[in-house]
């Protein structure tokens, strides 16, 4: 495990903690897309089906991965619970309207066509990679419709985007030094990072000018 993988995991955990803190501190899920959170749960549930048969005590790395997988699935379920139950009255259902079937369909099609091995697990794994690359779109769509973005919500999205950027570097490093190319993952990572690029720019400008972050419609 290299430094890029470690940094990616740290930013991913940071993003989740920022999101949960935002909701529990403000007692509100305003500005958070339920559709994106459900897509992430689908992503993690598909990617980590190997939890049912892999021995977590096989090695320290396997144990670490198992803990992270359970944490990602568990926090996704908890986040959805907060939006649907505890803070439902603050959920912006009117603006959270991105049609996720336009993301799930293409991701499934790409997984059927492009995968590492012709096995059910590998196709499901590929589906999770393609879907994760697009899962942030309902969140960005919601923020564009509402205009202004709360600081803590902006920090969450930046941390989430940074996690994928570090993971992209992780796969490049592994290709260069371990000879383990995964073009599928690298391309999906590039697409995902590109989707965040516009938000990163507006986030940087808001930090630089000291003004509240606003996204153009």
């Amino acid at each position: 495990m290299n430094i890029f993988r470690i940094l990616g995991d740290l930013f991913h955990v940071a993003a989740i903690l920022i999101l949960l803190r935002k909701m529990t501190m403000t007692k509100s899920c305003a500005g958070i897309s339920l559709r994106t959170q459900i897509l992430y749960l689908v992503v993690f549930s598909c990617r980590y089906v190997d939890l049912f048969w892999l021995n977590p005590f096989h090695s320290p790395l396997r144990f670490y991965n198992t803990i992270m997988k359970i944490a990602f699935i568990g926090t996704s379920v908890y986040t959805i619970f907060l939006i649907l139950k505890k803070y439902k009255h603050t959920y912006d259902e009117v603006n959270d309207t991105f049609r996720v079937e336009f993301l799930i369909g293409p991701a499934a099609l790409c997984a059927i066509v492009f995968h590492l091995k012709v096995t059910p697990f590998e196709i499901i794994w590929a589906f999770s990679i393609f879907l994760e690359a697009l899962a942030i779109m309902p969140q960005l769509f919601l923020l564009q419709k509402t205009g202004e973005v709360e600081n803590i919500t902006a920090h969450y999205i930046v941390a989430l985007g940074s996690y994928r950027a570090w993971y992209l570097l992780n796969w490049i490093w592994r290709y260069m030094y371990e000879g383990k190319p995964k073009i599928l993952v690298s391309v999906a990572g590039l697409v995902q990072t590109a989707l965040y690029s516009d938000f990163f720019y507006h986030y940087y400008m808001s930090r630089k000018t000291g003004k509240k972050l606003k996204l153009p419609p």
Side-chain angles (χ1 to χ4, degrees), residues 37-212:
Q37 299 306 317
I38 291 175
L39 288 178
Y40 279 129
L41 178 58
V42 172
V43 165
F44 299 140
S45 298
C46 290
R47 186 175 303 167
Y48 302 146
V49 292
D50 58 1
L51 283 170
F52 289 107
W53 63 78
L54 290 182
N55 178 9
F57 303 106
H58 178 266
S59 66
L61 180 58
R62 177 77 62 78
F63 182 74
Y64 168 82
N65 286 336
T66 300
I67 295 298
M68 297 299 280
K69 291 173 182 179
I70 294 173
F72 293 149
I73 293 174
T75 52
S76 292
V77 171
Y78 183 57
T79 300
I80 293 170
F81 165 77
L82 291 178
I83 297 174
L84 287 178
K85 296 294 183 180
K86 196 167 185 179
Y87 305 128
K88 184 178 181 179
H89 60 287
T90 65
Y91 169 53
D92 189 359
E93 188 174 359
V94 173
N95 288 310
D96 189 18
T97 56
F98 193 97
R99 298 184 63 179
V100 296
E101 59 267 29
F102 292 147
L103 305 179
I104 295 174
L109 181 61
C110 286
I112 293 171
V113 177
F114 305 105
H115 44 263
L116 302 180
K117 296 178 183 178
V118 187
T119 66
F121 172 72
E122 290 294 341
I123 293 174
I124 291 173
W125 181 85
F127 169 69
S128 76
I129 295 297
F130 289 121
L131 185 60
E132 185 180 16
L134 305 172
I136 195 61
M137 291 183 69
Q139 178 65 67
L140 297 177
F141 179 76
L142 169 62
L143 295 179
Q144 282 185 320
K145 288 188 71 175
T146 56
E148 291 190 350
V149 184
E150 293 180 353
N151 283 335
I152 196 164
T153 303
H155 298 334
Y156 158 67
I157 295 175
V158 168
L160 203 57
S162 299
Y163 136 66
R164 290 312 300 173
W166 285 117
Y167 254 70
L168 178 60
L169 293 175
N170 161 62
W171 288 114
I172 294 173
W173 188 92
R174 293 188 66 179
Y175 170 67
M176 293 175 61
Y177 295 101
E178 298 179 11
K180 298 179 178 179
K182 284 196 175 182
I183 304 301
L184 183 153
V185 177
S186 299
V187 171
L190 282 172
V191 170
Q192 189 170 8
T193 304
L195 289 175
Y196 282 94
S197 59
D198 183 64
F199 186 90
F200 283 167
Y201 169 76
H202 290 289
Y203 178 85
Y204 169 75
M205 293 304 296
S206 73
R207 297 293 100 187
K208 183 179 179 181
T209 60
K211 296 180 180 178
K212 190 175 182 63

